[in-house]
């Protein structure tokens, strides 16, 4: 069963009088429970692609079906609801809310789902990423790797059907990176969460079932292991 289906996807930006094509006729389909990596040079369109797939941004042309729903037909509120119900997203630049503590950041998706145990669950998740003792810290009081781990705990909070992770181990030392890797792959094994990882780490990419190579906004190769 397909959880994500991308057809004829393109994204262009107008910069002055020039048109910049960042994604150019991208097509692929991801099955539920699959693990895939998207790799490619800096500026090749990986983050843009991930954001479109998660309904965070809208495409110039093409169609994105997520869990059977065409995102382009939904209002911004409906897309937010799809994100809250089905999607976890780990941002390359974390995107933590600066006025909230680590704990409160992780609680956001749980509170959106009106879970009464939001605080307990969020604390559990912070513990899992090794930050149980940083719950009351604000993002500016955390190191880059710690902020990344808070954003990972937040992405896990709503038990997503599909997890998009943009360089999830990019700011971590080897040991912490391996811990996060284990948590992400456990999510796939235990809950059947579909994983879509963007990474420059080819060792990490090799651990997924499929690798999509993207260059200049086009898919160059789509290899199943
Ligand atoms: N809002 C925007 N306006 C104009 N150009 C943009 C915008 N956002 C991204 N781009 C351009 O789109 C291209 C792709 O950017 P993107 O962030 O998707 O690359 P990436 O593959 O994730 O790179 P990296 O590996 O460095 O994270 C870049 O050339 C970037 O400058
Ligand atoms: Mg990027």
């Amino acid at each position: 069963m397909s959880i994500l289906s991308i057809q004829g996807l393109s994204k262009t930006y107008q910069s002055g009088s020039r048109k910049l094509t960042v994604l150019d006729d991208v097509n692929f389909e991801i099955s539920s429970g699959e693990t895939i990596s998207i790799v490619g040079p800096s500026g090749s369109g990986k983050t843009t692609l991930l954001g479109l797939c998660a309904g965070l941004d809208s495409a110039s042309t093409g169609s994105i079906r997520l869990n059977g729903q065409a995102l382009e037909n939904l209002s911004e509120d409906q897309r937010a609801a799809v994100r809250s119900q089905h999607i976890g997203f780990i941002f390359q630049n974390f995107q933590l809310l600066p006025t909230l503590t680590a704990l409160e950041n992780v609680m956001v998706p749980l509170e959106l789902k009106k879970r009464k145990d939001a605080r307990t669950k969020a604390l559990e998740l912070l513990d899992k990423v090794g930050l149980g003792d940083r719950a009351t810290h604000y993002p500016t009081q955390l190191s880059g790797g710690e902020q990344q781990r808070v954003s990972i705990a937040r992405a896990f909070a709503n038990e997503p059907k599909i997890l998009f992770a943009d360089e999830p181990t990019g700011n971590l030392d080897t040991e912490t990176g391996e811990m996060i890797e284990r948590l992400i792959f456990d999510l796939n094994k235990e809950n059947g969460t579909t994983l879509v990882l963007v990474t420059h780490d080819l060792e990490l990419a090799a651990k997924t079932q499929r690798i999509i190579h993207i260059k200049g906004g086009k898919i160059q190769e789509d290899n199943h292991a």
Side-chain angles (χ1 to χ4, degrees):
M1 203 188 77
S2 152
I3 185 156
L4 181 66
S5 171
I6 305 291
Q7 276 179 348
L9 189 71
S10 72
K11 179 76 179 174
T12 54
Y13 290 107
Q14 196 72 35
S15 75
S17 59
R18 279 191 34 219
K19 205 173 80 174
L20 184 68
T21 300
V22 174
L23 291 173
D24 186 4
D25 191 22
V26 171
N27 297 278
F28 61 85
E29 200 156 319
I30 298 179
S31 304
S32 186
E34 204 176 355
T35 61
I36 95 160
S37 315
I38 299 171
V39 304
S42 179
S44 56
K46 306 181 298 295
T47 295
T48 307
L49 177 59
L50 223 54
L52 289 173
C53 290
L56 293 164
D57 190 7
S58 43
S60 303
T61 66
S63 151
I64 300 166
R65 291 188 83 81
L66 196 126
N67 208 34
Q69 278 180 302
L71 295 184
E72 59 277 11
N73 297 336
L74 303 182
S75 67
E76 183 44 53
D77 282 355
Q78 289 170 320
R79 278 191 287 171
V82 169
R83 282 200 299 275
S84 148
Q85 279 163 20
H86 305 302
I87 297 178
F89 204 103
I90 301 169
F91 295 90
Q92 190 169 19
N93 53 2
F94 322 132
Q95 304 260 15
L96 298 177
L97 296 166
T99 57
L100 301 186
T101 64
L103 180 68
E104 290 161 350
N105 266 285
V106 180
M107 283 171 67
V108 168
L110 296 162
E111 288 181 326
L112 282 173
K113 280 197 154 175
K114 306 214 181 338
R115 282 184 60 154
K116 292 214 174 65
D117 62 344
R119 180 169 293 266
T120 319
K121 178 81 189 161
L123 261 177
E124 250 174 57
L125 287 161
L126 278 180
D127 251 339
K128 259 197 166 173
V129 298
L131 291 176
D133 57 348
R134 293 287 191 282
T136 59
H137 285 223
Y138 289 89
T140 52
Q141 301 169 323
L142 297 167
S143 73
E146 287 169 345
Q147 291 178 52
Q148 184 158 39
R149 284 185 277 157
V150 174
S151 91
I152 290 167
R154 179 183 58 184
F156 284 13
N158 62 346
E159 294 164 357
K161 277 210 177 82
I162 183 163
L163 177 71
F164 295 100
D166 201 350
E167 294 285 0
T169 57
N171 296 278
L172 305 176
D173 61 84
T174 313
E175 204 174 310
T176 315
E178 282 169 1
M179 175 185 95
I180 294 304
E181 240 177 71
R182 270 197 302 280
L183 288 176
I184 289 178
F185 283 102
D186 281 353
L187 213 57
N188 170 258
K189 282 192 214 89
E190 287 163 17
N191 305 350
T193 306
T194 307
L195 301 180
V196 185
L197 313 180
V198 163
T199 185
H200 286 289
D201 177 354
L202 296 182
E203 271 182 49
L204 171 60
K207 290 175 187 157
T208 58
Q209 296 159 341
R210 176 174 168 196
I211 303 182
I212 292 181
H213 295 259
I214 175 169
K215 196 174 172 189
K218 276 182 171 296
I219 292 185
Q220 303 283 316
E221 283 180 60
D222 186 348
N223 297 323
H224 292 256

